[in-house]
């Protein structure tokens, strides 16, 4: 309620806190209305990072014909269920302790980053649910079921493959059964992507990742991992979880290393594996916050282990430490809620507004090129050329302009500045297609006064013209 009230008071209406969330909404609408698994109706593409999430949203959209509240309610339910599963998992890990499972469940429920995720419209909360349910079964001794759940989670997050690989650790006698369950789930996933696209993984994976061993990438991702646990290295880092959890999770990792090495291995190994493909975990650390349930589980175990291994420390001292951690997160929720509100305002004020402008500027059946495709695709109702290559084939900007001939393009100029040429007629920058027969000159733009989430404060709308034509006189500038 805090997040929703802050969202409405800041943004003035409801929405998503990321433009990527609108990509799922476009897929959901197209699937539900009989246009296939596509971003542009009738053009199948493996452009959803989490196809299962898009399919679930499609089922809900088919019933409700609505995408914002349905995604939020679904995210909240997933988040709540994750807290219950993690509490159960902690109870299995620390039998006989009542307060440690409660602590684990509350820490997850009050996690500012995961609360933000539940209302973001993204697939994060669904994947966390698969993770926590799998942990519950894993610690209950049902490792085969856990492995199957984590394999199903790959349908939501492809980087879930790392957890699937870890699930193969354990008794050798269980390995054949694990493989028997995991293989068809992953084969079906790969076959689905190949059916709607051209590869075994979503097209977004190839576009957003680049494999390589870069020391600076590894250092940066682990710095961001540290910030997840309250260890800042930049003044603007979001310290969603208190640093007091760090010694507890380290103790938990030491105590659990022999019995359940998977938990600690994922906590440290996932950011390392992630850093081989990307240099940053993006806004809100959203690509690595899947470590949060593992860290909380270990911290609860560490807190329970203190009185057992150090009898001189009274239980009351550990209880006070646990309460301080909960109060930290509860207090930080207020700051996170404000940030969420501004995130929604930014996406509504820029990308949603640009989508509506694109619809007004173009005719039905027109083509729009965009560097942010989610809300622009949803609200314009036009065929979208993804200039970044997430849902259409990746090309250079001039190639895209020649191949698709979009009527207008909407871009972050900084991303394409290498192709910008000063237009002598308008004295403004223009883009030329590969043949230099047509140019794209500015019509106007939308600018954010307080940007908290988008890659740029200003996005420009440019219109297609023949070379030599005078610049368009009607221009606009919208500030939000």
């Amino acid at each position: 309620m805090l997040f929703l009230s802050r969202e409405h008071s800041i943004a003035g209406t409801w929405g998503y806190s990321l433009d990527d969330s609108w990509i799922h909404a476009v897929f959901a609408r197209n699937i539900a209305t009989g246009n296939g698994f596509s971003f542009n109706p009738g053009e199948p593409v493996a452009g959803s990072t989490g196809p299962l999430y898009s399919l679930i949203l499609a089922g809900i959209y088919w019933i409700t014909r609505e995408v914002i509240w349905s995604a939020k309610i679904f995210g909240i339910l997933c988040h709540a269920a994750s807290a219950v599963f993690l509490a159960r998992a902690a109870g299995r890990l620390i039998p006989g302790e009542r307060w440690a499972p409660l602590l684990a469940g509350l820490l997850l429920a009050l996690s500012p980053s995961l609360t933000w995720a539940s209302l973001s419209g993204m697939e994060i909360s669904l994947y966390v649910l698969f993770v926590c349910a799998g942990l519950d079964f894993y610690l209950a001794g049902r490792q085969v079921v856990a492995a199957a759940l984590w394999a199903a989670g790959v349908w939501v997050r492809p980087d879930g493959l790392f957890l699937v690989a870890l699930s193969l650790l354990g008794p050798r006698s269980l390995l054949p059964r694990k493989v028997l369950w995991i293989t068809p789930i992953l084969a079906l996933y790969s076959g689905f992507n190949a059916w709607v696209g051209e590869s075994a993984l979503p097209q977004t994976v190839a576009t957003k990742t680049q494999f390589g061993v870069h020391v600076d990438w590894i250092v940066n991702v682990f710095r961001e991992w540290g910030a997840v646990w309250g260890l800042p290295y930049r003044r603007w880092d979001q310290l969603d979880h208190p640093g007091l959890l760090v010694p507890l999770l380290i103790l938990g990792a030491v105590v659990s290393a022999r019995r359940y090495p998977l938990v600690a291995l994922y906590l440290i190994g996932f950011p390392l594996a992630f850093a081989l493909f990307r240099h940053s975990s993006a806004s809100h650390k959203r690509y690595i916050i899947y470590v949060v349930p593992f860290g909380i589980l270990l911290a609860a175990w560490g807190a329970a282990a203190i009185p057992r291994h150090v009898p001189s420390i009274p239980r009351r001292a550990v209880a006070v430490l646990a309460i301080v951690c909960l109060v930290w997160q509860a207090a930080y929720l207020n700051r996170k809620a404000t940030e969420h509100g501004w995130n929604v305002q930014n996406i509504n004020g820029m990308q949603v507004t640009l989508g509506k402008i694109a619809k007004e500027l173009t005719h039905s059946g027109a083509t729009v090129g965009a560097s942010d495709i989610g809300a622009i695709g949803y609200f314009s109702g036009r065929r979208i050329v993804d200039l970044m290559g997430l849902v259409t084939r990746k090309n250079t900007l001039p190639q895209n302009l020649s191949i698709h001939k979009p009527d207008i393009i909407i871009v972050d100029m900084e991303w394409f500045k290498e192709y910008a040429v000063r237009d002598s007629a308008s004295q403004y920058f223009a883009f030329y297609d590969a043949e230099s027969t047509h140019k794209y000159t500015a019509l106007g733009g939308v600018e954010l006064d307080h940007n908290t989430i988008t890659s740029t404060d200003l996005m420009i709308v440019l219109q297609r013209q023949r070379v030599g034509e005078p610049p368009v006189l009607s221009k606009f500038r919208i500030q939000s």
Side-chain angles (χ1 to χ4, degrees):
M1 294 302 296
L2 171 66
F3 273 60
L4 290 172
S5 63
R6 198 65 51 81
E7 174 181 335
H8 194 266
S9 65
I10 294 175
T13 185
W14 311 109
Y16 293 142
S17 45
L18 289 171
D19 185 63
D20 287 0
S21 308
W22 286 106
I23 297 178
H24 284 299
V26 175
F27 274 98
R29 183 175 64 183
N30 285 342
I31 296 165
T33 53
N35 289 300
F37 198 90
S38 62
F39 190 87
N40 292 311
E43 299 179 14
V45 63
S48 171
T49 303
L52 177 59
Y53 180 67
S54 296
L55 290 167
I56 291 173
L57 287 189
I60 300 174
Y61 183 89
W62 185 78
I63 298 171
T64 64
R65 287 300 190 266
E66 193 276 339
V67 293
I68 296 177
W69 274 105
S70 55
K72 289 182 183 295
I73 292 173
F74 182 70
I76 292 169
L77 293 175
C78 288
H79 182 52
S82 297
V84 173
F85 274 116
L86 194 70
R88 284 166 52 93
R92 302 185 192 283
L93 189 64
I94 319 163
E97 293 282 3
R98 291 187 176 183
W99 65 270
L102 178 63
L103 173 64
L106 287 176
L107 283 172
L108 188 79
L110 295 176
S111 166
S113 55
L114 294 183
T115 304
W116 167 86
S118 70
L119 294 164
S120 68
M122 290 292 285
E123 74 278 1
I124 299 169
S125 296
L126 177 58
Y127 182 68
V128 171
L129 176 57
F130 277 108
V131 167
C132 293
L135 283 170
D136 184 27
F137 280 98
Y138 176 78
L139 296 172
R142 303 177 66 182
Q143 293 190 21
V144 175
V145 178
L149 282 169
W150 291 333
V154 175
W155 278 79
V156 184
R157 287 296 312 172
D159 40 30
L161 287 168
F162 180 77
L163 184 54
V164 173
L166 288 182
S167 73
L168 298 177
L169 300 174
R172 291 184 179 180
S173 59
L174 295 178
L175 184 59
R177 292 174 56 197
K178 290 179 182 179
V179 173
L180 185 64
W181 279 94
I182 289 171
T183 301
I185 295 173
L186 297 184
L188 188 60
Y189 170 74
S190 299
F192 177 83
N193 287 314
W195 176 52
V196 297
E198 298 178 350
S199 64
L201 293 174
Q203 185 170 322
T204 51
V205 175
T207 302
K208 289 186 175 183
T209 61
Q210 181 181 354
F211 179 77
V213 180
H214 304 278
V215 175
D216 55 332
W217 288 16
I218 295 173
V219 170
N220 187 64
V221 169
F222 270 100
R223 283 174 172 173
E224 293 176 340
W225 179 90
V228 169
W229 301 111
L231 305 176
Y233 77 101
R234 298 171 302 198
R235 60 180 177 80
W236 61 84
D237 271 330
Q238 303 161 359
L239 308 180
D240 293 355
H241 307 96
L244 289 173
L245 288 175
V246 175
L248 294 178
L249 67 85
I250 291 174
L251 177 59
V254 172
V255 174
S256 67
R258 181 169 296 181
R259 287 179 61 196
Y260 301 109
L262 178 146
V263 182
L265 282 175
Y266 184 87
L267 181 66
I268 299 297
F270 178 68
L272 177 61
F274 178 83
L276 300 177
F277 297 90
R278 281 184 63 102
H279 70 281
S280 170
S281 59
S283 56
H284 297 280
K285 316 292 189 297
R286 65 181 187 270
Y287 292 141
I288 61 170
I289 59 174
Y290 308 113
V291 301
V292 170
F294 294 87
I296 288 175
L297 191 61
L298 290 174
W301 200 351
I306 291 176
R308 296 178 181 178
H309 292 79
V310 190
S312 60
I313 299 179
R315 283 179 173 267
R316 288 184 179 181
V318 179
V320 169
L321 183 62
I323 291 171
V324 169
C325 291
L326 288 170
V327 170
W328 174 288
Q329 290 190 182
Y332 206 89
L333 279 168
N334 183 62
R335 174 177 174 178
K336 199 75 171 183
T338 299
E339 187 170 18
H340 167 73
W342 279 110
N343 289 170
V344 175
Q345 189 277 341
N346 288 174
I347 301 302
N348 285 349
M350 179 172 279
Q351 281 86 351
V352 171
T353 298
L354 286 166
K356 295 175 179 178
I357 289 173
K359 184 174 183 178
E360 293 178 3
L361 291 176
T362 59
H363 57 84
S364 178
T367 297
V368 174
S371 54
D372 286 340
I373 60 170
I376 292 172
Y378 190 89
F379 288 95
S380 69
R382 306 299 186 238
R383 180 179 181 273
I384 298 295
V385 175
D386 182 1
L387 302 178
M388 304 304 294
L390 297 180
V391 298
T392 52
R393 186 181 295 277
K394 189 171 184 178
N395 297 297
T396 66
L397 178 62
Q399 288 172 337
N400 273 323
L401 300 182
S402 290
I403 295 169
H404 300 284
K405 300 176 174 57
D407 297 80
I408 62 172
I409 60 173
I410 304 172
V411 298
D412 173 352
M413 291 289 289
E414 186 67 22
W415 289 359
F416 302 100
K417 61 183 180 182
E418 62 181 297
Y419 303 111
V421 178
R422 185 173 295 277
D423 180 42
S424 58
S426 65
Q427 295 303 309
Y428 192 73
F429 290 104
F431 297 113
Y432 288 79
D433 60 20
E435 291 82 18
S436 296
T437 58
H438 289 81
K439 63 180 179 180
Y440 286 77
T441 56
L443 285 174
V446 173
E447 186 175 21
L448 295 174
D449 287 334
H450 181 66
N451 182 12
T452 62
I453 196 66
T454 67
S455 63
T456 179
D457 296 341
L458 175 66
M459 289 191 74
I460 305 295
V461 181
L462 302 99
Q463 185 178 49
R464 186 172 189 257
Q465 293 182 290
R466 288 189 175 277
V467 172
E469 286 184 2
V472 180
L473 296 178
S474 59
K475 297 191 176 184
F476 62 89
R477 185 185 184 93
I478 299 174
Q479 286 187 294
S480 177

